[in-house]
């Protein structure tokens, strides 16, 4: 079964950290550019980060730059999103997603994604 499964979300206080995981099954993540986007209630989808398949180049949205780090473990078929210095405005459901196979590079965080997981919720609150 082809799927992406996110985990690692939860409730954290402002300034705290979380590490999200995205595990793929049924296909190899290293064949694709993989990104994270988030969706907060009443807000538009926001691209968070992306890692390119060819050279591992990483991209970040302006709101998370310097606080979030995307990485991948090819052996585990997993992409991670390390989130630090979390703020209440980071509260959202976080999804990992893959870009079409023919995309060679992410070229930013707002590119086209054609397959995504169900998401993991993150709440930053006191």
């Amino acid at each position: 079964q082809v799927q992406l499964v996110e985990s690692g979300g939860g409730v954290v206080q402002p300034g705290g950290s979380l590490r999200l995981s995205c595990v793929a099954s049924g296909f190899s993540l290293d064949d694709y550019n993989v990104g994270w986007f988030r969706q907060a209630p009443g807000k538009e989808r926001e691209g968070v980060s992306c890692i390119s398949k060819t050279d591992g180049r990483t991209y970040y949205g302006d709101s998370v730059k310097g606080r979030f780090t995307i990485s991948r473990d090819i052996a585990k078929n997993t992409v991670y999103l390390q989130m630090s210095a979390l703020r209440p405005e980071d509260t959202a459901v976080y999804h990992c997603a893959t870009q079409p196979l023919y995309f060679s590079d992410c070229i930013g965080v707002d590119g086209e994604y054609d397959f995504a997981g169900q998401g993991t919720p993150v709440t930053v609150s006191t």
Side-chain angles (χ1 to χ4, degrees):
Q1 185 178 3
V2 176
Q3 60 180 352
L4 290 168
V5 179
E6 302 94 335
S7 64
V11 180
V12 64
Q13 292 187 343
S17 299
L18 285 172
R19 188 178 78 157
L20 307 183
S21 299
C22 171
V23 180
S25 59
F27 68 102
S28 295
L29 270 181
D30 59 329
D31 290 335
Y32 297 85
N33 303 322
V34 182
W36 289 89
F37 65 87
R38 63 190 182 186
Q39 184 86 53
K43 295 185 178 180
E44 292 187 359
R45 189 182 94 173
E46 179 185 7
V48 174
S49 184
C50 191
I51 185 165
S52 292
K53 64 180 181 182
T54 51
D55 57 4
R57 183 176 298 186
T58 57
Y59 300 84
Y60 299 94
D62 289 341
S63 63
V64 307
K65 203 170 294 182
R67 300 188 297 123
F68 290 11
T69 303
I70 190 171
S71 62
R72 61 186 179 183
D73 186 328
I74 295 174
K76 295 183 178 180
N77 213 20
T78 301
V79 169
Y80 302 99
L81 185 69
Q82 177 68 48
M83 307 187 297
S84 303
L86 283 161
R87 306 166 180 168
E89 53 264 39
D90 294 318
T91 295
V93 177
Y94 284 71
H95 301 262
C96 68
T98 56
Q99 292 189 328
L101 188 61
Y102 57 87
F103 279 32
S104 60
D105 185 76
C106 294
I107 311 178
V109 299
D110 294 317
E112 176 185 352
Y113 294 102
D114 62 356
F115 186 63
Q118 292 298 309
T120 184
V122 172
T123 302
V124 185
S125 174
T126 56

